[in-house]
């Protein structure tokens, strides 16, 4: 065998897994990602912090949200990755409505979470790592900005950014 083949064999023996096996492992790790981490990683959702599952499961933190969100129970099950039968008698349109409701519900839960100590710590970490962006003004010298919601009512205003130096 050539030097490259022997080197690949030694690496495979040392790691205990081939590249193909490693690829399968990393793919299965991606399959294990939660709905929350998937949702927060989507483009446009950079301002969201991953809410702890314990916080979402606590009924006290969800008080009053069931009246604001259609398909509340299904949406909550989707967020918590509860295995629901795909053929639960729901049409494709209802599935889309549940997904939209889950996004709305997560936003409402997130708004409550970020005012807790753990939520504030998550937001501080994102601020320090400049996940929210920088101020475009030259005099602010690239100051990190913070997201600001102008209303508690969903879909009334878009999120703005605040520069502490301006």
């Amino acid at each position: 065998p050539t030097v490259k083949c022997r080197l690949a064999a030694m690496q495979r023996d040392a790691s205990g897994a081939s590249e193909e096996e490693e690829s399968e492992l990393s793919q299965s790790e991606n399959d294990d990602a939660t709905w929350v981490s998937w949702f927060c990683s989507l483009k446009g959702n950079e301002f969201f912090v991953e809410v702890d599952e314990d916080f979402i499961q606590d009924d006290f933190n969800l008080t009053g949200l069931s009246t604001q969100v259609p398909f509340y129970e299904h949406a909550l099950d989707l967020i918590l990755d509860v295995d629901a039968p795909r053929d639960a008698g729901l049409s494709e349109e209802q599935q889309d409505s549940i997904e939209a409701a889950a996004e709305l519900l997560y936003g409402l839960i997130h708004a409550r979470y970020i005012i807790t100590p753990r939520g504030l710590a998550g937001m501080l970490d994102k601020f320090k790592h400049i996940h929210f962006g920088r101020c475009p003004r030259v005099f602010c010298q690239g100051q990190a900005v913070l997201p600001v919601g102008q209303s508690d009512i969903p879909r009334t205003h878009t999120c703005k950014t605040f520069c502490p130096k301006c």
Side-chain angles (χ1 to χ4, degrees):
T2 64
V3 174
K4 285 184 181 179
C5 290
R6 278 186 268 159
L7 182 60
M10 287 190 313
Q11 287 175 340
R12 198 171 37 247
D13 291 340
S15 70
S18 67
E19 287 179 30
E20 186 176 300
E21 290 169 338
E22 287 176 15
S23 172
E24 289 174 12
L25 282 173
S26 66
Q27 193 173 34
S28 69
E29 288 172 4
N30 289 341
D31 292 343
D32 292 341
T34 64
W35 184 92
V36 172
S37 60
W38 168 80
F39 179 73
C40 291
S41 70
L42 292 176
K43 185 171 175 53
N45 293 348
E46 296 87 8
F47 289 1
F48 284 106
V49 172
E50 288 191 28
V51 177
D52 295 336
E53 190 172 325
D54 295 339
F55 186 88
I56 298 171
Q57 289 178 337
D58 187 349
D59 289 336
F60 178 78
N61 299 324
L62 307 177
T63 302
L65 297 182
S66 61
T67 60
Q68 296 181 39
V69 180
F71 300 106
Y72 172 80
E73 290 296 329
H74 293 291
L76 185 60
D77 287 347
L78 182 61
I79 290 171
L80 292 173
D81 296 317
V82 174
D83 290 332
R86 285 308 239 182
D87 301 325
L90 300 172
S91 67
E92 187 72 29
E93 187 178 306
Q94 287 174 321
Q95 285 285 15
D96 292 341
S97 297
I98 290 170
E99 290 174 15
E103 293 175 12
L104 171 64
L105 179 59
Y106 186 78
L108 293 169
I109 294 169
H110 180 267
R112 293 178 178 192
Y113 179 73
I114 62 172
I115 59 174
T116 66
R118 288 184 295 179
L120 285 171
M123 293 296 281
L124 177 62
D125 184 56
K126 282 188 160 246
F127 175 74
K128 286 181 177 178
H129 290 97
I130 312 166
H131 287 241
F132 305 126
R134 296 180 181 272
C135 182
R137 292 189 64 230
V138 173
F139 292 117
C140 292
Q141 301 170 336
Q143 171 65 45
V145 296
L146 283 168
V148 177
Q150 296 180 320
S151 174
D152 290 339
I153 303 167
R155 296 187 178 94
T156 55
H157 294 283
T158 58
C159 187
K160 309 288 185 199
T161 54
F162 167 76
C163 173
K165 276 193 177 177
C166 279

